[in-house]
Amino acid sequence: MDAPPLIRTLTATDATAYRALRLQALRDHPEAFGASHEDEAARSLEMTAKRLNDGPLNCVFGAFSGDELIGTAGFVVPDRSAKSRHKGLLVGVHVAPERRGQGLARALVSAVIAHARAHVVLLQAAVGVDNAPALRLYESLGFRRYGLEDKALRVDGVFIDEALIVLYFAGDT
Ligand SMILES: CC(C)(COP(=O)(O)OP(=O)(O)OC[C@H]1O[C@@H](n2cnc3c(N)ncnc32)[C@H](O)[C@@H]1OP(=O)(O)O)[C@@H](O)C(=O)NCCC(=O)NCCS
């Protein structure tokens, strides 16, 4: 029997695998991510490695099957100024197509939540309003909707509205 997937934070040594999976995600699901394939492809491997070496306020969790990276979920505190550093953002949730439906995204996002709980008061995310799998996942983990960003993204001339969702950690609601 195969060993269960391992979830751990990525380091600079994972940069090549992370970049490949991320480029696949951006190519296959441009409507699901704020970054574009073009922008990511233009980033050097060194820049990617640097992002993976930026500490607990900007990190990526990966799911591995053996040595193979098969899914990711990221955590970032976008604004570290005194009045905003209590807010974290869940980003870059993606599972390789052939590995979906096995609980990997749930495990990855749960890992981000456990990590975020130690660093911020609330965790926000933005999800395309038509992305039912992601919305269902996040809502099952306790996120709730607090807003809607009309025309949040424009992908090949098509506007995507995003649901704004948030998870408050105990005692801080
Ligand atoms: C969304 C995504 C990350 C889910 O990954 P996954 O590993 O297949 O998800 P899981 O197996 O952990 O499923 C967790 C929950 O998500 C929801 N879900 C997953 N796939 C679903 C689907 N096809 N339809 C409806 N709900 C779905 C369910 O609530 C599921 O819980 P359940 O199995 O108890 O019903 C994956 O489909 C993906 O990578 N999509 C493309 C990128 C993307 O949209 N990322 C999110 C950006 S905000």
Side-chain angles (χ1 to χ4, degrees):
M1 209 173 86
D2 290 346
L6 170 83
I7 308 281
R8 65 162 173 82
T9 46
L10 301 186
T11 68
T13 57
D14 300 305
T16 301
Y18 172 65
R19 188 168 189 273
L21 188 60
R22 185 159 167 76
L23 284 171
Q24 180 191 38
L26 297 176
R27 188 193 60 221
D28 294 351
H29 304 283
E31 72 294 340
F33 302 100
S36 72
H37 183 278
E38 193 183 20
D39 290 346
E40 188 69 21
R43 283 167 73 97
S44 66
L45 193 59
E46 288 68 30
M47 287 168 76
T48 302
K50 204 171 163 203
R51 195 259 152 125
L52 297 178
N53 209 16
D54 197 30
L57 300 188
N58 181 19
C59 59
V60 179
F61 287 80
F64 288 83
S65 173
D67 290 339
E68 186 191 358
L69 180 65
I70 54 177
T72 61
F75 170 76
V76 63
V77 175
D79 182 346
R80 300 188 194 182
S81 66
K83 292 180 181 176
S84 294
R85 65 182 170 223
H86 61 288
K87 293 182 287 186
L89 196 58
L90 171 68
V91 294
V93 178
H94 174 248
V95 170
E98 66 279 10
R99 303 289 187 155
R100 291 180 192 161
Q102 300 169 25
L104 284 175
R106 184 179 294 283
L108 283 159
V109 176
S110 297
V112 170
I113 290 170
H115 174 81
R117 192 181 290 281
H119 295 283
V120 292
V121 170
L122 57 92
L123 183 62
Q124 298 173 324
V127 192
V129 291
D130 294 328
N131 194 342
L135 279 169
R136 193 176 298 185
L137 166 65
Y138 300 147
E139 287 174 357
S140 77
L141 288 170
F143 284 86
R144 66 174 197 245
R145 297 189 199 202
Y146 70 91
L148 175 81
E149 187 179 353
D150 193 37
K151 296 183 173 50
L153 304 175
R154 186 164 67 177
V155 181
D156 296 332
V158 176
F159 290 109
I160 313 278
D161 299 342
E162 287 188 330
L164 306 178
I165 61 171
V166 63
L167 177 66
Y168 293 101
F169 295 122
D172 296 307
T173 52

